[in-house]
Amino acid sequence: MSNIAFKTKDKKTNQFKDIFKKKALMPYITAGDPDLNTTKEIILTLDKSGADIIELGIPFSDPLADGPIIQAAALRSLDAGTSLAKIFEMLVSIKDQVNCPYLLMGYYNPILNYGKEKFIRDAKEAGVSGVIIPDLPYDQDIEFYNCLLDNNIFPILMLTPVTTEERIKKIVELSHGFIYCVSLLGTTGTDSSALVDVGKYLNKIRKYTNIPLALGFGIDGPEKVKEIINESDGIIIGSALVKIIEKYGKSKDLLYSIEAFIREIKTVM
């Protein structure tokens, strides 16, 4: 563990605070699935359809937290030639057209390979508001997290149902924007029946913080959203959306289907 102190940036700068005055919908897609030109159109469609924050996955060949649906999306993206540099280039081209904030979710290895300073510089230039790194605990590269904050890019930290109370206290203290709460024991796209007791889980976290709590993993459609939306401040939907992208690919029905899905979710929030 590093002995560098984690910065506690003034939380008044929270760029998500207005978003969480209502329930927030955060769709996840894998960048470059099926290709980056289509990803660009999907982002614009999500934005106009009511997404509050867009989560954009960085494709990686060994995604530890992702189930088979998102793993397959990552492979399709890599096969299409997606790279971090091309993702940033695509985001720069549309950042002035997107109203809602967007985050990058990716694993530490591709960031290290790209270069941490270059990653932060290019993410800032591309208008990225936050970064989620599932395999980088808050206490393993504090200097990197602090550099993100210095560039007004929030490191979004994660909690799981098995996070100890000692670590919950520390993570909520250091969190900015919102906390990503994994809602099941497993990877993304797991059987939705395996969701934990959401109310009990989030109440355990809320004993220590007022920061918004967003649930992700295993939320696959309107019925599941209706069950949990009163307990959480926001939801993250990934695999269900990625399945739509897999089904329609580059066909003319893709964007219509995505828009219909997002609007249906919003009606129950």
Side-chain angles (χ1 to χ4, degrees), residues 42 45-46 48-49 240-241 243-249 251-265:
I42 293 172
T45 299
L46 292 172
K48 76 172 185 179
S49 303
L241 186 56
K243 286 168 77 173
I244 293 174
I245 296 170
E246 179 183 18
K247 178 179 179 180
Y248 291 102
S251 84
K252 62 181 181 181
D253 295 327
L254 174 64
L255 300 181
Y256 170 81
S257 300
I258 288 173
E259 180 173 353
F261 179 74
I262 294 299
R263 292 193 186 282
E264 184 181 15
I265 297 294

Side-chain angles (χ1 to χ4, degrees), residues 12 82 119 134 241:
K12 291 180 181 177
T82 304
F119 174 85
L241 186 56

Side-chain angles (χ1 to χ4, degrees), residues 45-87:
T45 299
L46 292 172
D47 186 42
K48 76 172 185 179
S49 303
D52 295 294
I53 301 171
I54 296 172
E55 188 183 337
L56 195 62
I58 302 169
F60 181 47
S61 58
D62 190 20
L64 299 176
D66 296 319
I69 296 169
I70 294 179
Q71 287 182 26
L75 292 178
R76 289 194 296 272
S77 174
L78 292 171
D79 287 344
T82 304
S83 65
L84 251 176
K86 291 179 180 177
I87 293 171

Side-chain angles (χ1 to χ4, degrees), residues 25-50:
L25 172 58
M26 285 173 269
Y28 166 97
I29 59 172
T30 300
D33 175 34
D35 58 50
L36 280 170
N37 282 332
T38 307
T39 296
K40 181 191 305 184
E41 297 304 318
I42 293 172
I43 291 172
L44 295 173
T45 299
L46 292 172
D47 186 42
K48 76 172 185 179
S49 303

Side-chain angles (χ1 to χ4, degrees), residues 20 24-29 53-55 70 103 105 132 156 158 178-183 188 213-221 225 228-229 232-241 265 269:
F20 285 99
L25 172 58
M26 285 173 269
Y28 166 97
I29 59 172
I53 301 171
I54 296 172
E55 188 183 337
I70 294 179
L103 317 174
M105 179 173 182
I132 304 167
I156 306 299
M158 303 180 81
F178 67 93
I179 299 173
Y180 191 128
C181 301
V182 175
S183 52
T188 60
L213 305 180
L215 276 169
F217 287 37
I219 303 168
D220 55 4
V225 173
I228 63 173
I229 195 61
S232 67
D233 300 305
I235 56 166
I236 300 150
I237 295 185
S239 294
L241 186 56
I265 297 294
M269 294 184 65

